[in-house]
Amino acid sequence: MRVAGLFAGIGGLERGLARAGHDAALLCEIEPAARAVLEARYPDVPCPEDVRTIAALPVDVDLVAAGFPCQDLSQAGRTAGIGGLRSGLVGEVFRLLEKRRAPWVVLENVPFMMQLAGGKALDHVVSALEALGYRWAYRVVNTLAFGLPQRRKRVFIVASTVADPADVLLVDDADFREPPTRLGEQAHGFYWTEGVRGLGWAADAVPTLKNGSTVGIPSPPAILLPDGRLIQPDIRDAERMQGFPADWTVAAERVARASRRWSLVGNAVSVPVAEWLGRRLATPGSYGGDRDREMPGKGWPAAARFDGRRRIAVEIGEAPVVLERPPLHEFLQYPGKPLSERATAGFYHRARKGSLRFPEGFLDAVAAHLDRVRGGAAVPVAAE
């Protein structure tokens, strides 16, 4: 297929689709650092800055792909909803589809859009697709099942005027379970900026790589290694955790601070997830309806479809496939930066004051790291 990638970011969705045989005919991205990456990686593809200036889709476009901005929909963001300044830009996708209905549409966003304001954001999106004559299916998918050590759940919406999207999105289902916590044997990721109400704990993985704070400060996770060291991963390993080659975003440093690369990576679509989707678009399966269920009276299920007449819940997991992956501590290829004394002390203080329950031995490991970075000064250990 010929693809128009709107809100393309650093091209994660487009790179995955390309690995499945689809070609980018048009990219669109307004953020300067992301544009610098696209210009370096896709130098021959037209890339207008603002989706609002695109008069119409190219006539040869078969697929519109849009990971539209999530800042107004995420728990970490402003939660302004689908009417927010950024996330409301999905309306530009529908404007272009009104002028020319591309046969296929792929949209991606955070699962919180299914809950925010009672699910109004998701209802807005699928209702607009229905009004344009599309059948649709959506599903929450977890990057962790795709051979990458990152627990990252995203909702993918596939819509079509020429086929049943369920044959693309809902035919693959694999048995997948997240690994248990095993301190001293595996690495474990968490957010050192939290510690009172949340942690983002991930066993043998990192929690979801994020855009950063609401004021644009990067927020890399911390990793507790099996040997007890606490590090922040190198940006090149973060790129690899999204399925990109190391230094995919290095061109961003021509126009922005190096730390901006963390936000670019945190905003991206995981490449192997997009590749799986692209392969199913090229070779659909056959969804038989055996997973169909009644829609709940309130809220949205983790997967659903619209067959042209009615909305139907679908009982299916978050792992279409399960790909082998190395342990997190073996996946890392670049030396991480030790978590600083200030960051460690701040987290440790919040964790001891809060009411969160932590895996046995975790706070002891944090205290030991703090002792090391302070040069041996004793750190009181949290009471059991």
Side-chain angles (χ1 to χ4, degrees):
M1 297 186 192
R2 298 278 287 167
V3 180
L6 309 179
F7 315 107
I10 58 173
L13 190 50
E14 294 74 19
R15 178 171 172 82
L17 291 172
R19 283 167 54 168
H22 309 289
D23 298 317
L26 174 74
L27 299 172
C28 181
E29 175 55 49
I30 198 169
E31 208 277 332
R35 285 182 58 81
V37 175
L38 294 177
E39 289 168 1
R41 302 300 180 182
Y42 299 93
D44 300 323
V45 181
C47 186
E49 291 187 24
D50 194 336
V51 66
R52 293 168 294 187
T53 66
I54 300 176
L57 295 170
V59 295
D60 62 344
V61 163
D62 307 296
L63 168 63
V64 174
F68 62 97
C70 68
Q71 288 91 330
D72 298 317
L73 303 177
S74 68
Q75 287 177 294
R78 296 183 290 270
T79 64
I82 198 66
L85 181 63
R86 298 293 301 278
S87 298
L89 288 170
V90 70
E92 295 298 314
V93 178
F94 303 132
R95 173 183 66 82
L96 293 170
L97 293 175
E98 285 175 355
K99 292 187 175 183
R100 179 179 172 271
R101 290 191 307 167
W104 291 91
V105 180
V106 172
L107 304 175
E108 177 267 356
N109 216 288
V110 293
F112 192 60
M113 72 180 296
M114 301 159 61
Q115 305 170 31
L116 183 62
K120 287 183 179 179
L122 182 56
D123 185 67
H124 172 82
V125 170
V126 298
S127 294
L129 291 169
E130 292 169 10
L132 289 167
Y134 285 90
R135 283 181 285 177
W136 54 259
Y138 76 78
R139 179 181 184 179
V140 175
V141 177
N142 191 343
T143 293
L144 194 57
F146 286 81
L148 297 176
Q150 180 194 180
R151 188 189 64 229
R152 184 184 189 88
K153 299 182 182 182
R154 290 294 183 264
V155 59
F156 287 83
I157 305 169
V158 178
S160 180
T161 60
V162 297
D164 187 351
D167 292 340
V168 171
L169 202 59
L170 303 176
V171 292
D172 298 321
D173 191 33
D175 184 21
F176 171 73
R177 295 175 179 85
E178 293 194 18
T181 293
R182 294 202 294 266
L183 295 180
E185 299 178 32
Q186 296 177 329
H188 297 77
F190 65 97
Y191 272 105
W192 56 270
T193 51
E194 302 179 14
V196 176
R197 291 188 296 272
L199 185 64
W201 183 260
D204 200 24
V206 297
T208 304
L209 296 173
K210 300 189 292 188
N211 172 49
S213 73
T214 54
V215 293
I217 300 173
S219 181
I223 298 174
L224 174 61
L225 295 171
D227 63 8
R229 288 179 296 141
L230 267 178
I231 65 167
Q232 290 178 273
D234 188 281
I235 182 60
R236 293 167 291 184
D237 276 328
E239 292 167 327
R240 296 176 58 243
M241 289 173 188
Q242 285 281 53
F244 295 99
D247 272 332
W248 178 264
T249 61
V250 70
E253 296 185 18
R254 297 201 301 261
V255 299
R257 292 179 298 179
S259 60
R260 181 63 182 162
R261 293 170 64 184
W262 281 99
S263 296
L264 299 180
V265 172
N267 276 338
V269 174
S270 302
V271 174
V273 179
E275 181 179 359
W276 160 76
L277 190 56
R279 294 193 184 284
R280 270 300 177 203
L281 284 163
T283 310
S286 179
Y287 178 73
D290 55 308
R291 300 179 183 273
D292 286 357
R293 304 290 185 268
E294 290 294 324
M295 287 290 285
K298 186 178 181 181
W300 291 93
R305 68 188 186 97
F306 175 69
D307 65 1
R309 297 180 297 108
R310 63 192 181 106
R311 298 176 179 179
I312 307 164
V314 178
E315 187 175 312
I316 196 168
E318 61 190 31
V321 298
V322 176
L323 304 180
E324 290 188 17
R325 61 182 177 87
L328 172 58
H329 64 283
E330 295 180 7
F331 176 90
L332 301 174
Q333 291 185 352
Y334 299 92
K337 181 174 68 174
L339 194 65
S340 71
E341 176 184 347
R342 180 177 179 181
T344 307
F347 173 80
Y348 188 72
H349 176 72
R350 290 190 300 275
R352 294 196 66 189
K353 285 184 60 178
S355 59
L356 284 179
R357 297 180 65 86
F358 300 97
E360 184 177 355
F362 170 62
L363 288 185
D364 292 350
V366 174
H369 174 78
L370 184 54
D371 183 26
R372 286 193 297 271
V373 295
R374 281 180 172 172
V379 179
V381 177
E384 295 296 333

